Amino acid sequence: EAGVAQSPRYKIIEKRQSVAFWCNPISGHATLYWYQQILGQGPKLLIQFQNNGVVDDSQLPKDRFSAERLKGVDSTLKIQPAKLEDSAVYLCASSLGPPTGMGGYTFGSGTRLTVV
Amino acid sequence: AQSVTQPDIHITVSEGASLELRCNYSYGATPYLFWYVQSPGQGLQLLLKYFSGDTLVQGIKGFEAEFKRSQSSFNLRKPSVHWSDAAEYFCAVGRGQNFVFGPGTRLSVLP
């Protein structure tokens, strides 16, 4: 089975620029997550989709971050405008059921964003 | 609110030595408990999980973890560490849609 695909792997941008990340989950996984992992910290959930609907976006900085999951498959996460503190690894994950279900998550390799 | 503590930011062990990584949690009820490993430049991989039953759970790569309700702990162990075990280890707790990761423990392995 193919894993969770993310692109790009690395991105360097200047502050106030915009950036977008792409995620393709495992086929058949209805639930998709975007996590932000700042250096030295555990992953923090930004947004969770169930099919193409948002389940939880309580920790998403909505003034600058947006995400969509068209047709309930691929997803994009956008930051506009970026700030220095947005430098982090952005992880996408997918699951068949809830994250604490028997299958757990499957994570992608992440996109490392550096804002200068 | 649920929270996860991993008291050790960085641990260094010699190859072949035993390993124990600590995890403590705060949760309103008995949560489901997980350990994930993240190798450099990679996503997180599930090592093992505890839902109920036997409090000693076996995982992949020779890891095991023990749930101690009285101590709110879920420590990860391995009897003999290999150089390839060098990575970041995350404890996570939750139920249903509520899921929280700890800050992680970085493991270095000396030859």
Side-chain angles (χ1 to χ4, degrees), chain A residues 30 48-55 67-74:
Chain A
Q48 177 183 340
F49 292 95
Q50 181 76 19
N51 297 308
N52 60 350
V54 175
V55 173
E68 61 181 7
R69 190 182 184 196
L70 299 176
K71 300 180 182 178
V73 181
D74 294 5

Side-chain angles (χ1 to χ4, degrees), chain B residues 39-107:
Chain B
S39 298
Q42 300 298 313
L44 281 73
Q45 181 185 20
L46 181 65
L47 282 176
L48 48 78
K49 57 196 174 192
Y50 171 79
F51 288 163
S52 64
D54 192 348
T55 56
L56 184 64
V57 294
Q58 302 297 320
I60 62 172
K61 304 184 179 185
F63 285 92
E64 66 177 26
E66 186 173 12
F67 169 54
K68 292 186 177 180
R69 185 190 307 272
S70 61
Q71 299 177 19
S72 296
S73 69
F74 189 56
N75 294 348
L76 182 71
R77 300 194 293 250
K78 186 169 185 177
S80 178
V81 171
H82 188 263
W83 64 266
S84 60
D85 294 324
E88 189 93 19
Y89 291 80
F90 294 93
C91 181
V93 302
R95 289 186 79 100
Q97 302 294 343
N98 298 313
F99 194 74
V100 175
F101 285 92
T105 296
R106 183 160 63 93
L107 174 65

Side-chain angles (χ1 to χ4, degrees), chain A residues 27-94:
Chain A
S27 178
H29 279 196
T31 312
L32 184 147
Y33 315 79
W34 283 102
Y35 278 86
Q36 180 191 57
Q37 186 178 17
I38 293 173
L39 186 64
Q41 299 181 18
K44 182 185 81 172
L45 180 67
L46 291 176
I47 188 166
Q48 177 183 340
F49 292 95
Q50 181 76 19
N51 297 308
N52 60 350
V54 175
V55 173
D56 183 357
D57 64 356
S58 57
Q59 298 193 86
L60 186 73
K62 298 179 187 63
D63 58 335
R64 298 184 300 106
F65 286 65
S66 65
E68 61 181 7
R69 190 182 184 196
L70 299 176
K71 300 180 182 178
V73 181
D74 294 5
S75 177
T76 56
L77 176 70
K78 297 179 181 177
I79 308 175
Q80 182 180 8
K83 293 184 176 182
L84 295 177
E85 59 261 35
D86 298 331
S87 294
V89 174
Y90 290 84
L91 294 165
C92 180
S94 68

Side-chain angles (χ1 to χ4, degrees), chain B residues 32-44:
Chain B
Y32 297 156
L33 299 155
F34 304 79
W35 276 99
Y36 282 83
V37 60
Q38 185 177 34
S39 298
Q42 300 298 313
L44 281 73

